[in-house]
Amino acid sequence: MSEIRFDGQVAIVTGAGTGLGRSHALGLAKRGAKVVINDLGVSRDGSGSSSEAAEAVVAEIEAMGGDAMAHGCDVSDEDGVIDMVQQAVATWGRVDIVVNNAGILRDKTFGKMSMADFRKVVDVHLIGSANVAHACWPIMREQKYGRIVFTSSASGLYGNFGQSNYGAAKAAMMGLMNVLHLEGARDNIRVNTLAPTAATRMTEELLPAEAAALLAPETITPGLLYLVSEDAPSRVILGAGAGSFAVTKVHETLGITLMDDENTPETVAARFAEIASTEGQEELTDAFSQTKKYAQNAARARGLK
Ligand code: NAD
């Protein structure tokens, strides 16, 4: 297997001042990429701002002979993101890789959460990721090359008490990935999602010291580097942490087809175990394949096919 390298490539990593983003940025730079270190330098809940952390990562990359520039835009501010992408292109001529990683937390149970806190978290994670992907999209299409990663979370894929805003935003990464995967394929743009679990300031009160020692961000970055490499897969949700890697997939069960005279809530209830049975389940490639499956089932049940 040949070494994965990024020589001559330009990457943008959001939230790269600390934690996972910093580790990803250093990993890309070590393997030859020029990296935009985006970070607003906020606290865990998104308050304040500082350019210090991003500048420190730029200095680290430069000290090892690499190329990096800091940009302190708020990813949820579309104009700031456009300016960042323009600066990357003006300096280095292209953008090959986008790692959407910036994030904040505003945890509260749903009943106690203000809609302002709900919206803020969705703005940073979902709108922020869309802003960066959108600003880079025409560049990637034009150069017929692009690798985009969204950062999801087990909270979005499986749920986590007290994180309705974060869970919704993180689940949205999968929806955005699915569509950009389909739309980007013809221009060699591959789109994936990382679902990390790491010891960072985001999780510092949650993890016992022994677990934290195993869950260093650097254990996740090799998976990220594969997802943005030339031979990357596309539409993959890669779970990663402490050296474990696993893929999350969405399947639809085979299900059942009811004729009109039996299509009642009572029949759905009575046959729900069959509807939910995982035997013969499949991964659907796009939304229309579901419509096609149901229409074909109905036609077959009526003896039309
Ligand atoms: P972190 O708090 O250490 O780093 C997040 C970085 O994003 C910070 O440097 C912060 O300044 C920056 N940031 C926040 N809002 C920003 C904005 N609007 N614009 C630009 N930069 C902004 O967190 P982390 O643990 O390294 O998390 C990185 C990503 O991984 C996040 O998207 C997070 O939700 C996700 N994630 C982390 C874990 C985990 O276990 N740590 C688990 C699942 C998902």
Side-chain angles (χ1 to χ4, degrees), residues 137 148 150 177 180-181 189-193 233-236:
W137 196 252
I148 299 175
F150 296 107
M177 171 192 72
L180 298 196
H181 157 76
I189 302 174
R190 300 186 193 168
V191 190
N192 294 294
T193 298
S234 194
R235 201 201 194 196
V236 161

Side-chain angles (χ1 to χ4, degrees), residues 106-189:
R106 292 201 177 174
D107 294 359
K108 275 207 170 84
T109 52
F110 192 55
K112 291 190 180 139
M113 184 178 294
S114 69
M115 281 313 293
D117 280 351
F118 195 99
R119 194 169 286 113
K120 176 75 183 171
V121 166
V122 170
D123 266 352
V124 173
H125 291 272
L126 172 57
I127 304 301
S129 299
N131 278 340
V132 185
H134 191 258
C136 294
W137 196 252
I139 300 164
M140 291 179 165
R141 288 194 64 197
E142 176 78 26
Q143 70 198 12
K144 301 262 179 262
Y145 189 92
R147 300 288 180 262
I148 299 175
V149 164
F150 296 107
T151 305
S152 185
S153 161
S155 179
L157 300 174
Y158 310 119
N160 197 22
F161 193 93
Q163 292 194 318
S164 53
N165 50 2
Y166 184 77
K170 288 309 204 186
M173 298 296 132
M174 185 180 68
L176 191 51
M177 171 192 72
N178 283 336
V179 176
L180 298 196
H181 157 76
L182 292 169
E183 295 187 7
R186 64 187 166 182
D187 293 313
N188 189 20
I189 302 174

